Amino acid sequence: MHIEQQLLDKVNIWLNSPVFDSETQEKIKEMMTSSPKELEDSFYKNLEFGTGGMRGIMGVGTNRINKYTLGKNTQGISDYLKKSFPGEALKVAIAYDCRHNSDTLAKVVADLFSANGIKVFLFSDMRPTPELSFTVKHLECHAGIVLTASHNPPEYNGYKVYWQDGGQLVPPQDHEIIQTIEALQYDQIRFEANNDLIEYIDTAVDEAFINSAIENGSFNTSASAKENLKIVFTSLHGTSIKLVPDVLEKAGYTNVAIVKEQAEPNGDFPTVKSPNPEEPEALTMALALAEKTGADIVIGTDPDSDRLGVAVRNAEGQLVLLNGNQTMVLMTHFLLEQWKKQGRITGTEFIGSTIVSTPMMLELADVYGIECKVGLTGFKWIAKMIKDFPQQKFIGGGEESFGFMAGDAVRDKDAVTATLLVCEIAAQAKANGSSLYEELLQMYVDFGFYKEHLISITKKGIDGANEIKQMMSDLRNNPLEEINGERVIFVEDYQNSTTRNMFTGETGTLDIPKSNVLIYYLEDGSKICARPSGTEPKIKFYFSVNARIESLDEIAAAEEFLNAKIENIITGMNLS
């Protein structure tokens, strides 16, 4: 295989500079002779920040997670912090998850910050990502870092950056930091630690976070209702085992069965194909335990405990998995109802969602007389809403990818607090002779039956990236005029910040940051979104359809109708 000169130039920097250790250089030499394709994939680009931070496969090279790529990032952030907060005593907090090398990479990052004269609060053991977001504000830090690759496969790791408000980086900081990082040379990285500036943190912060989770996730559920709710919980080998059982116990939930085989943190995630609660297979063992124990609800969280999957009993008593949109609207509706009962809704409050999530959130906001702010994919945009609109009170919000945030103590999706919140809803429903499932069905009658579906198409490597690019180009430059017999009436192009009425040709401007997203709106109210993933080699298609129903008796027929509509749209777009 021929290796391009541009690629060789990048490789030679790593081979010839004394900055890189001998082990790294030996691995590069080995790839040059035995795995040139792997060498190309390791160096053909630099890892970049996406919607969920920076994630990548661990290994050597500019396109890999290693001490040098993370070191360059950390040095750049150190320089940027000094520029942004001149004369201040800088502080950062660092957490890490259960993945291989997360602890050692976290220590590398801590060493680098300390080498730059920055005070570091480093967790002494793995912790959930939402606790890091909380800690940034709790300890009045200027920034925070968590080493995690969320639910990606075991060979991945990642690096999320948080700012003063506890939210992930957003413009302009993200672009300015990237520019600072890209301007650096590897020999400018300061690896020598100043251990006097590194302070280990653990139980005191844990207690503060647990108390915050209970404060934001509890709503006057009776002790008997809590005791009567039978819960099965699995941490899927991740960090939530550190806190979720304690939160539930302290909140009064005593009837909790934990999937023991998945309770031990393990970066290989040995009992699942993917540690992602979005995937039904990931909850197989939890569902089996629930059947054995007669549980009312099953909850599973991903490795860094920011997403949660939920299964509940349907009308026939069978356990069914809810999708992220369903859990989001259930939790949002419950919060709105509780705030209304407490007389806290004045019209200046808001909920948050994303452009690829269910439009049902807009219906909820309208009925309760508050605003639903809709942003790009990723919780950093919901956190930005809270920061940008301090005169409005944030109630809660989420996105379709199984994330939710209740209150503003944490500025990222938070499966710890959300787990407690969904138990509150289930416990109160059961005490009232209902169930979480029945509450959802009644919402469909009250607000409209919205049904969503997601397709993810994986395209790996350089060729895959080009395929995804071409698919988006075709949809953008030659927009479909009709899908499934329904005319396309409107197209939103977030990359070009434009809207287009397909009937009149009239165009408009989107007042939202640019992103490579396209949304098609059909004449019957259906919505189709195309978006390349910011963290994985995938292109995602989101489908939302809806129907109005008058009673619960119409649910089955409406669901059959909406399922058929989704299938026909997928076929019409040649995605099946």
Side-chain angles (χ1 to χ4, degrees), residues 48-219:
E48 298 174 350
F49 289 104
T51 54
M54 187 180 78
R55 292 184 210 168
I57 296 170
M58 290 177 279
V60 301
T62 60
N63 190 33
R64 294 289 185 264
I65 295 286
N66 52 65
K67 66 180 287 188
Y68 301 106
T69 53
L70 296 192
K72 198 173 179 184
N73 286 339
T74 307
Q75 184 62 53
I77 292 167
S78 298
D79 294 345
Y80 186 80
L81 283 168
K82 291 178 180 179
K83 179 183 174 183
S84 300
F85 305 102
E88 293 190 32
L90 298 171
K91 298 184 291 184
V92 300
I94 301 174
Y96 58 92
D97 71 1
C98 60
R99 289 180 175 273
H100 299 305
N101 304 315
S102 279
D103 53 350
T104 54
L105 289 171
K107 184 59 167 65
V108 167
V109 172
D111 289 349
L112 267 151
F113 278 124
S114 72
N116 282 276
I118 297 171
K119 170 73 175 179
V120 177
F121 296 102
L122 175 63
F123 276 99
S124 59
D125 196 1
M126 65 186 71
R127 288 296 189 280
T129 289
E131 186 172 7
L132 185 277
S133 172
F134 172 85
T135 301
V136 171
K137 289 202 303 171
H138 180 66
L139 297 180
E140 298 180 337
C141 294
H142 295 81
I145 307 289
V146 62
L147 280 298
T148 177
S150 188
H151 56 275
N152 281 49
E155 64 269 23
Y156 280 75
N157 214 318
Y159 180 98
K160 284 186 181 180
V161 185
Y162 293 78
W163 211 237
Q164 269 187 311
D165 65 325
Q168 290 186 55
L169 285 177
V170 293
Q173 283 90 0
D174 55 354
H175 301 301
E176 292 171 356
I177 285 174
I178 289 170
Q179 289 175 349
T180 304
I181 292 167
E182 290 179 346
L184 285 170
Q185 302 301 316
Y186 286 101
D187 59 9
Q188 293 176 277
I189 303 172
R190 299 174 185 173
F191 282 109
E192 296 301 320
N194 178 352
N195 287 316
D196 293 338
L197 290 177
I198 301 175
E199 178 181 339
Y200 288 91
I201 56 175
D202 38 50
T203 53
V205 177
D206 290 344
E207 288 174 9
F209 179 62
I210 288 170
N211 290 336
S212 173
I214 292 172
E215 179 183 348
N216 285 283
S218 296
F219 290 89

Side-chain angles (χ1 to χ4, degrees), residues 451-489:
K451 190 169 186 63
E452 281 75 31
H453 185 69
L454 168 67
I455 290 179
S456 292
I457 301 172
T458 300
K459 302 284 186 179
K460 294 185 177 181
I462 300 173
D463 292 341
N466 288 332
E467 280 188 70
I468 290 173
K469 185 177 180 180
Q470 186 60 50
M471 290 173 77
M472 290 299 295
S473 177
D474 290 342
L475 287 168
R476 176 171 283 116
N477 298 321
N478 301 293
L480 299 171
E481 296 180 0
E482 184 181 286
I483 301 172
N484 187 34
E486 294 288 341
R487 292 186 298 176
V488 177
I489 60 171

